[in-house]
Every structure is written in structure tokens, then in C-alpha cells.
Amino acid sequence: MVQIAWLGKKTPFCGNVSYGLSTTEALRQRGHQTHFIHFDNPRNPESGGTSLLANDPDVSLPYLVKSQVYTIPSPGAQRELRDSLERLKPDIVHASLTLSPLDFRLPELCQQLGVPLVATFHPPFDAGLRNITAGTQQLTYQLYAPALARYDRVIVFSQLQADVLVRLGVPEQRLVVIPNGVDTERWAPATHGTSNLTLKRVRERLGSQRIFLYMGRLATEKNVEALLRAWRLTSPTGCRLVIVGDGPLSSGLMNQFGNGEVLWWGYEPDLDTRVALLQCAEVFVLPSLVEGLSLALLEAMASGTACVATDAGADGEALEGGAGIVLSTQGVTTQLRTLLPVLRDQPVLTAELGRRARQRALERYTISRNIDAIEALYGSLVSSDQRAA
């Protein structure tokens, strides 16, 4: 058993949150003790009233600003983090990096405490730098590279992502490629005759039309506007586009594209409802300009939904070889304008794409494979004596 101090996010909901919660839960199920250290202002921040009991699985750090993209900690957060690590005495610290100033201070802190430090580096990217958004994300990689070089190991989701960091000076031996994984028993197609109240409620709200679905943040890098433009231009008969999620572009997109053929579902906090949404969807579309390896895409694949995604980040790699349809990040609207009518007219094709997507998820992207790799990584960094203790 390894005692892990996991530093990550629990809110607001994003891929980093999903990754942290699912990974720590899976590690606990395998017998590891995991303390989740996250930014969540304590009830009495003036007194530093964070619960730091050694047997308390959660530790809260105070913050000034927290968003889906970045976090600005309070001035006392670094001291409270050090205090919590000294009390918890973990075998290893695993930081699911939150784009916070603390990310840059962790290597020195863990070195002082004599604790191995692992990072998971989430920021999206496009190795081709084919658009302005990709160029902006490249700056994030350039900023982080010197700090990542000081972590004992850095988990990335694809070899493409590793190659970007190597070019920026991160030693190759510090990088470990461990793709995201999903629970393929939870995220699975609805079996014939499946009947549960959540699925029934979702189907009733969606109506009888064939469902095309986007699930994720409504932000510039997700390029949802390209999908909405293509949908308006093609107006697929008998089909409905469902947008699940929120973000800084929510109100603007709703004002510009709101119509009867688009259902603005909004942010969905309930896991069972998100599962049901993907089970009801025939096609999942992810038109991102930059990505890491989208958990929403993997969840859609595992659910047996036909998947269309750009080749940003590692998403194209996940769908290559016929597991889905891969678009270029350039000219997404034009490509979708051609593709959407084909998917509308070929339900046999979408069913086959869904079957292939599910098979690919089972082959490469299960949570069990992910945890196997993380456990092996921990084992390479933590001594036998520490594990036995």
C-alpha cells in the first residue's frame, strides 16, 4: 500500500476534476490511502482553520480565485500545504496540476521534505500550432517546462504531448505516457430493454429526434461555434443538437444560435445523467482547436456513441484507424457542413462507428490500465521499505 497526497481540483467541474476524482477513487479501491488536497476555502480562513488530521482524507487550501482553467491561491496556501504534508507524511505526492503558482514551488518543497513528486500535466495543445489558440497554449508549455524538468516524473497523455515538452527542454526520462482511462462498466451502451429512471427522464426531455451531442466547456479553445455554424447551415432533418456544459461563451452562443433544433442543456453535475445523455446520443462531436486527451471523448467512445473529433492533442490518435471520424482543426465548419448530412442519412454508419469506438476504449482506455500504469510508476519511485510501512 502506498500513502498518496493528491493535490488537485474538486471544483469547478472540468476534465482535471474528473481525472482527480476517478483516479483517487480507483487507487482507494486497490487499497492505497489517498489524501485529497484541494483548493476550497476553509470556514475560518483567517485562523488557517484547515483540517489537517492525519486520518482526514481531504485537506482544504485557501484560494483567492478559482476557475475551470487556473487557480490563484491565498498567500498562506503554501504554508498550509507544507504543514499538511508534514502531518500526513505521504510516501508520494501526486499533483494534478491546476495552473497555480504552487505548481512551480512544489519541486523545492517536496525535495526539502524528501518525498517523491509526480505531476499530471493537463493543458491542451496542438503540436502543429495551426491556430492562434494553439500558439497561446504553447506559451503555457514554455512557461511550465523549466518547472516540470524538476519533478521526479511527469505524466502526459500521449507521445505527441511528450515530444512537445522534450523540445522545450524537459528531460525525456522524466516523462511517462499514461493515457486517460474511463470506467467502461459505468460508461457503456444502454443494453436492449435497459430501463432506469434517469435514462427514461433524459430520453423524455430529449424527445424522439436523433441526438447529436457536444459535452464540455463553452470556451474559445473548444470551438463550439464552428459546430453551431455547421448545424445552422445543414439543419439536419429529424435530428437535434444538444449542448451540455457551460463556460464564458455560454450566453453569447445561446443568443447567436438559440433555436428549436438546438437544446441548451447547460452544466450537468449528476454523473448518472451524463451517462444517460451519452447513451441516448447517436453522434458525439468535439470540434476543439486544442486538446489534451479529452475525457468526454473517451466517455463517449466507451458509451458506444459514434465520435467525431479534431486531431488536436491526442484526440485524433484515439480515433485513428476507423474508431471514429477525425477532422483537421482548420476549417472545422466546412468539414462538418459536409459530414453532418452524411451522418444524418447513414444510421448504419453511425452504429458501426459507435461499435468501433467502444471497442477502442476497451482496448486502450480503461481506468484499470491507467491505474496499473500509475501503480507501476509509484513503485519505481517509492522504496520497498516505504511501501511496507
Side-chain angles (χ1 to χ4, degrees):
M1 183 192 78
V2 177
Q3 183 168 221
I4 306 149
W6 183 281
L7 180 60
K9 294 174 70 173
K10 287 196 170 183
T11 59
F13 184 79
C14 60
N16 193 327
V17 171
S18 292
Y19 175 83
L21 294 177
S22 62
T23 304
T24 53
E25 176 59 27
L27 287 166
R28 288 189 188 112
Q29 289 177 2
R30 294 200 182 186
H32 303 291
Q33 187 173 10
T34 303
H35 299 270
F36 206 120
I37 303 173
H38 62 114
F39 291 97
D40 186 13
N41 284 324
R43 286 185 295 273
N44 185 10
E46 295 299 325
S47 64
T50 307
S51 173
L52 298 176
L53 296 176
N55 61 354
D56 184 355
D58 281 12
V59 175
S60 299
L61 299 178
Y63 67 91
L64 299 176
V65 177
K66 182 170 63 170
S67 75
Q68 290 177 314
V69 179
Y70 61 87
T71 305
I72 299 176
S74 296
Q78 183 175 352
R79 174 182 55 80
E80 294 199 21
L81 174 59
R82 184 186 184 100
D83 289 346
S84 67
L85 292 178
E86 288 177 340
R87 284 182 183 253
L88 295 171
K89 294 181 173 57
D91 297 320
I92 198 161
V93 174
H94 189 150
S96 182
L97 296 180
T98 60
L99 300 191
S100 154
L102 282 185
D103 297 344
F104 300 91
R105 298 168 188 163
L106 277 171
E108 182 180 0
L109 173 58
C110 288
Q111 187 175 25
Q112 291 171 355
L113 296 174
V115 183
L117 174 62
V118 174
T120 299
F121 191 55
H122 295 268
F125 71 100
D126 180 10
L129 296 180
R130 292 169 290 185
N131 51 72
I132 293 174
T133 302
T136 301
Q137 289 298 331
Q138 179 79 351
L139 295 176
T140 301
Y141 276 65
Q142 290 173 341
L143 176 66
Y144 262 83
L148 295 177
R150 298 167 56 214
Y151 280 70
D152 292 296
R153 294 292 186 275
V154 178
I155 295 172
V156 292
F157 300 134
S158 70
Q159 189 59 49
L160 284 172
Q161 190 183 9
D163 292 343
V164 171
L165 290 171
V166 169
R167 289 199 298 269
L168 293 172
V170 180
E172 187 173 0
Q173 64 270 22
R174 304 230 177 210
L175 297 167
V176 183
V177 177
I178 303 178
N180 272 334
V182 294
D183 182 347
T184 51
E185 293 184 7
R186 177 182 291 276
W187 300 95
T191 56
H192 182 68
T194 296
S195 178
N196 66 61
L197 292 177
T198 301
L199 185 61
K200 181 180 179 182
R201 174 176 54 80
V202 169
R203 281 179 171 154
E204 287 176 350
R205 181 172 174 186
L206 293 176
S208 59
Q209 295 164 298
R210 296 164 62 200
I211 301 300
F212 287 58
L213 182 90
Y214 168 83
M215 184 180 292
R217 296 178 60 242
L218 300 183
T220 302
E221 67 271 15
K222 295 299 186 179
N223 200 26
V224 181
E225 185 175 351
L227 168 60
L228 290 163
R229 280 205 198 101
W231 193 264
R232 173 177 283 178
L233 290 168
T234 56
S235 299
T237 305
C239 302
R240 194 175 201 185
L241 177 62
V242 181
I243 304 294
V244 181
D246 62 8
L249 301 185
S250 296
S251 58
L253 291 175
M254 290 176 67
N255 289 336
Q256 184 177 358
F257 294 100
N259 62 62
E261 296 305 313
V262 177
L263 173 59
W264 300 90
W265 189 280
Y267 167 63
E268 179 50 66
D270 182 68
L271 177 59
D272 289 339
T273 301
R274 294 200 303 273
V275 170
L277 280 163
L278 284 173
Q279 289 175 334
C280 292
E282 187 169 330
V283 179
F284 175 85
V285 185
L286 187 62
S288 303
L289 297 172
V290 292
E291 274 292 348
L293 175 55
S294 169
L295 270 174
L297 174 62
L298 299 185
E299 290 162 356
M301 292 170 65
S303 300
T305 308
C307 292
V308 178
T310 60
D311 58 353
D315 288 355
E317 180 182 310
L319 296 179
E320 68 184 359
I325 297 174
V326 182
L327 310 176
S328 169
T329 60
Q330 296 175 302
V332 173
T333 295
T334 301
Q335 294 170 82
L336 285 174
R337 187 177 180 182
T338 301
L339 180 61
L340 289 174
V342 175
L343 296 174
R344 173 198 64 198
D345 295 337
Q346 300 292 333
V348 174
L349 171 63
T350 60
E352 175 61 16
L353 287 173
R355 186 193 67 79
R356 293 184 183 185
R358 168 73 177 174
Q359 187 61 38
R360 176 63 55 81
L362 292 171
E363 291 170 353
R364 297 188 188 177
Y365 301 111
T366 64
I367 189 68
S368 60
R369 286 171 62 97
N370 177 279
I371 299 303
D372 287 345
I374 290 176
E375 284 185 315
L377 173 59
Y378 290 167
S380 70
L381 295 174
V382 178
S383 72
S384 318
D385 289 342
Q386 285 176 301
R387 290 202 303 273

